[in-house]
Amino acid sequence: MKLGRAASIAVLVGAALTVLAADLLSPHDPLQTFEGAYRLPGFWSGEAQFDARFLLGTDDVGRDVLSRLIHGARWSMLAGLAVAALATLIGVILGALAAWWGRGVDAVISRAMDVLMALPSILLAIVVVTVLGPSLLNAILAATFTAIPGVTRVVRAQLMLEMSKPYVAAARIAGAGGFRIVMRELLPNCGGPILVQATLGFGDGLLNVAALGFLGLGARPPAPEWGAMLADARGFVESDPALVTLPGLCIFAVIWAFNILGDEVRDHFDPKTRLREAA
Amino acid sequence: MSGRDWLKRLGMLGLTLWGVSLIAFFLIRWVPGDPVMLMIGERGASPEAIAELRARLGLDASLPVQYLRFATQALRGDLGVSILSGRPVMQEFRERFAATAELGGLAMILAVLVGVPLGVSAAIWRGRWWDRVATSMSVALYSLPIFWWGLVAIALVSVRWALLPVSGRIGVEFDVPMWSGLLFIDVWRAEEGGWPAFVSALRHAMLPALVLATVPLAVITRMTRSSFLDVLNEEYVRAARAKGLSRPRVLFVHALRNALVPVVTVIGLMLGTILTGAILTESIFSWPGLGRWLVSAVISRDYPVIQGGVLLVAVVVLVTSLSVDALNVWLSPRLRTRGRS
């Protein structure tokens, strides 16, 4: 698995650098249309139409595919980050409220999460985006909305497990208030599972935002978000497969890297697997 | 779990369904634009005609009254008629559900047929190259964006190699009357059905099912592997080996049966994943299932279809998860006795 770990770190570092230095790396403006340079092939084709200015070719309106992919990293990665951060924040608050106050609060929060989980998540996201109007921000909100129940459940279960431990009683006897115990004692001890959820949530968030973009409910054209690029290229899947293949490969590579990373984080925090590896 | 626990679970299920009905009802009405204006469209109509249409659809009443009407009718098993097609929501759901079930069922069969042997073999040859291949493949499949992979599959398999049809459920030359809604069954009742029709239906379902099966296949492989590894560490497996039983007998008779218990749970709980995947798969392959039905109902603001359809989907998901729990209790005696102490 060492190879996988190295590859996933390489993908993530590369993606992060691309996000930071997109303007430096991309050879052209992602929105600039080059007249007469429509759907030029990439370097692999070996055809005469290949133009060295456009390494990966151009799309149907003459925009440089490489530049769009590089800037797309910015849109898609930040969307994933936003979904993971927002969903983790809200999920931790809801989960902590449910676990610590219990009874009525717990019942209301837990039933609400049951309800959200009983609905197919992409359908929920579609309805939320239709209500708010299609845009990247609203797609992020919709993806966050569908990610909250998972985080809430994990945080709640983990906190309940920790609450039965003696150090919590000790803190209570020492006179610590509920807020202090949750923030200073309980949550730091649940860091592992929450981190695992957040890591996997990044990949899921990116995937869901891209899926909404693919359905025409995410980033508006001409924004170079990867899912939206796929939707644009859908009509050329037969004549110009590279236009479909490249953005999909980017989405796949980043999600794959996050899933590998999530596994690593989980193994690191799960004593059971650590024992098993040692045995 | 005792009888009281089950009653409590049933009560919670009712409560959850009530919440789903509230969300489905109010969320779709919060979407801008109402069905009457969409039906009239560009042509326009007199205000009287609009008011009459609105009254006929029951949209003139206040929202709480509309909700009460919907809820009381739903309790009696009547979910109203679709605004768009004028047909009962229940009947449309049955047809659409059958189409999705056919696709999802085939995907699940593929996932189990490949995933279980893959997971078992990975566990047996743990740490070897085969285990690495199976584990990496499972992570890779899990990370495939289903909407992209569907497009690539169509481009390669259907268009370039022309191996399988691009979309639809069965070839146009076959006229199969609906009976169960499952084409794999209905072809045997049709006059021009039989083997050619069955093969045609199978060929149409194969590619979307393969696309839909990727995530379940990854999860099943992973779950089978880790569950099998856990079982191999159990005392009784060592005891069985010690008493002289052959390795294959221990692996496949003693270990496998117990290892499959958590796998069965995962299969049941993956229904939600299948439904979500089906929405994307159906939109790529023009498969006339639940996903496409609900998405087009959102677009046309078909209120009865949305509120009724979402409620029925939730019933299916919740009842399945309850049945999986019941099956688990029945399979493992430990859970059965725990409630009594």
Side-chain angles (χ1 to χ4, degrees):
Chain A
M1 230 34 312
K2 287 215 179 81
L3 192 72
R5 190 185 306 171
S8 74
I9 289 173
V11 168
L12 290 180
V13 170
L17 285 179
T18 313
V19 168
L20 291 175
D23 295 316
L24 290 175
L25 289 171
S26 74
H28 303 283
D29 181 332
L31 304 183
Q32 191 187 350
T33 56
F34 291 88
E35 227 162 291
Y38 306 121
R39 287 166 55 198
L40 292 182
F43 67 86
W44 57 84
S45 64
E47 286 171 39
Q49 300 127 286
F50 170 63
D51 184 331
R53 282 183 301 162
F54 313 111
L55 267 185
L56 300 182
T58 54
D59 68 6
D60 55 311
V61 290
R63 294 172 299 201
D64 178 39
V65 169
L66 178 62
S67 303
R68 286 180 70 70
L69 286 175
I70 288 174
H71 280 269
R74 214 171 239 188
W75 291 74
S76 292
M77 295 279 290
L78 290 184
L81 182 68
V83 173
L86 274 175
T88 308
L89 182 72
I90 298 172
V92 166
I93 293 174
L94 288 177
L97 281 175
W100 187 259
W101 274 273
R103 292 182 179 276
V105 180
D106 184 19
V108 170
I109 292 177
S110 294
R111 287 302 77 69
M113 294 306 129
D114 283 353
V115 169
L116 290 184
M117 286 212 143
L119 303 165
S121 60
I122 191 89
L123 185 72
L124 195 62
I126 290 172
V127 175
V128 171
V129 174
T130 331
V131 171
L132 300 174
S135 77
L136 184 69
L137 180 69
N138 292 339
I140 290 174
L141 290 179
T144 305
F145 198 56
T146 61
I148 289 172
V151 184
T152 305
R153 279 196 176 176
V154 168
V155 173
R156 177 180 171 276
Q158 203 62 34
L159 281 181
M160 305 252 283
L161 200 73
E162 286 293 318
M163 273 162 61
S164 60
K165 293 189 178 165
Y167 73 88
V168 179
R172 231 188 271 215
I173 293 165
F179 185 72
R180 196 195 148 87
I181 295 182
V182 170
M183 294 302 290
R184 301 289 297 272
E185 311 281 342
L186 287 172
L187 283 178
N189 276 313
C190 302
I194 296 174
L195 196 62
V196 173
Q197 279 291 314
T199 318
L200 297 174
F202 196 120
D204 283 347
L206 197 161
L207 186 63
N208 282 330
V209 171
L212 287 171
F214 177 73
L215 293 171
L217 297 168
R220 306 309 298 153
E225 193 265 333
W226 289 338
M229 285 176 73
L230 263 182
D232 286 346
R234 204 178 157 168
F236 310 110
V237 66
E238 291 155 38
S239 54
D240 208 346
L243 282 181
V244 174
T245 312
L246 292 170
L249 271 181
C250 290
I251 300 175
F252 168 70
V254 172
I255 291 173
W256 172 81
F258 269 103
N259 284 334
I260 295 272
L261 186 72
D263 280 356
E264 295 280 332
V265 178
R266 183 192 325 229
D267 287 352
H268 181 75
F269 283 105
D270 183 6
K272 207 172 141 198
T273 41
R274 240 185 305 173
L275 276 180
R276 203 188 286 153
E277 295 305 319
Chain B
M1 288 244 242
S2 63
R4 248 190 86 192
D5 290 336
W6 287 112
L7 269 183
K8 220 168 122 189
R9 289 282 312 260
L10 271 181
M12 286 201 322
L13 190 145
L15 210 60
T16 308
L17 282 179
W18 176 63
V20 168
S21 79
L22 277 176
I23 290 212
F25 182 89
F26 286 102
L27 204 57
I28 189 63
R29 276 168 178 75
W30 191 23
V31 175
D34 74 53
V36 173
M37 298 322 278
L38 282 175
M39 271 170 91
I40 292 162
E42 305 276 297
R43 281 166 292 144
S46 66
E48 295 83 44
I50 293 178
E52 200 221 275
L53 188 56
R54 195 157 286 183
R56 195 150 53 84
L57 295 171
L59 296 173
D60 53 340
S62 69
L63 280 188
V65 171
Q66 283 187 45
Y67 176 75
L68 271 182
R69 218 181 274 157
F70 159 59
T72 45
Q73 282 182 344
L75 281 177
R76 273 185 267 128
D78 173 17
L79 292 171
V81 293
S82 156
I83 295 179
L84 213 62
S85 70
R87 297 172 58 222
V89 171
M90 208 61 129
Q91 191 188 336
E92 287 206 328
F93 176 84
R94 222 171 281 148
E95 292 169 14
R96 297 300 189 134
F97 180 72
T100 296
E102 194 164 82
L103 184 59
L106 190 61
M108 232 33 199
I109 291 173
L110 286 173
V112 170
L113 281 184
V114 180
V116 170
L118 205 58
V120 168
S121 56
I124 290 177
W125 288 299
R126 196 190 135 204
R128 311 269 188 81
W129 66 272
W130 176 249
D131 180 23
R132 286 203 198 117
V133 168
T135 317
S136 328
M137 210 180 81
S138 146
V139 182
L141 287 180
Y142 188 79
S143 313
L144 270 183
I146 202 168
F147 46 94
W148 172 61
W149 155 225
L151 283 183
V152 173
I154 291 182
L156 286 180
V157 180
S158 300
V159 179
R160 177 145 319 165
W161 301 328
L163 290 176
L164 292 168
V166 177
S167 67
R169 285 183 74 186
I170 194 164
V172 282
E173 66 271 29
F174 298 102
D175 179 28
V176 178
M178 280 290 165
W179 179 64
S180 68
L182 296 168
L183 273 183
F184 292 151
I185 294 174
D186 291 355
V187 287
W188 302 108
R189 293 173 46 91
E191 266 175 48
E192 294 159 24
W195 277 110
F198 181 79
V199 169
S200 170
L202 193 64
R203 278 168 50 88
H204 279 80
M206 198 42 97
L207 201 57
L210 265 175
V211 169
L212 188 55
T214 46
V215 173
L217 169 60
V219 175
I220 289 174
T221 305
R222 215 188 149 109
M223 196 68 209
T224 310
R225 179 183 177 272
S226 77
S227 158
F228 206 81
L229 281 178
D230 280 345
V231 170
L232 287 184
N233 282 332
E234 297 273 349
E235 302 269 314
Y236 69 84
V237 171
R238 234 178 304 161
R241 279 292 279 154
K243 96 181 169 188
L245 294 181
S246 71
R247 191 170 138 87
R249 190 175 162 82
V250 174
L251 287 179
F252 295 111
V253 179
H254 294 241
L256 186 60
R257 253 175 62 183
N258 288 297
L260 286 182
V261 174
V263 178
V264 171
T265 312
V266 166
I267 293 173
L269 296 181
M270 224 145 32
L271 199 78
T273 316
I274 287 272
L275 279 172
T276 297
I279 290 177
L280 290 167
T281 316
E282 286 170 6
S283 96
I284 297 169
F285 287 92
S286 316
W287 189 266
L290 277 182
R292 278 220 319 169
W293 184 55
L294 289 174
V295 171
S296 70
V298 172
I299 291 164
S300 60
R301 315 284 188 267
D302 198 335
Y303 293 166
V305 168
I306 288 292
Q307 61 205 24
V310 167
L311 193 63
L312 288 172
V313 167
V315 169
V316 173
V317 170
L318 291 170
V319 169
T320 314
S321 108
L322 197 67
S323 326
V324 168
D325 284 355
L327 188 71
N328 268 343
V329 171
W330 181 69
L331 279 174
S332 73
R334 247 178 290 172
L335 285 176
R336 224 180 310 166
T337 46
R338 197 177 289 164
R340 278 188 218 134
S341 54

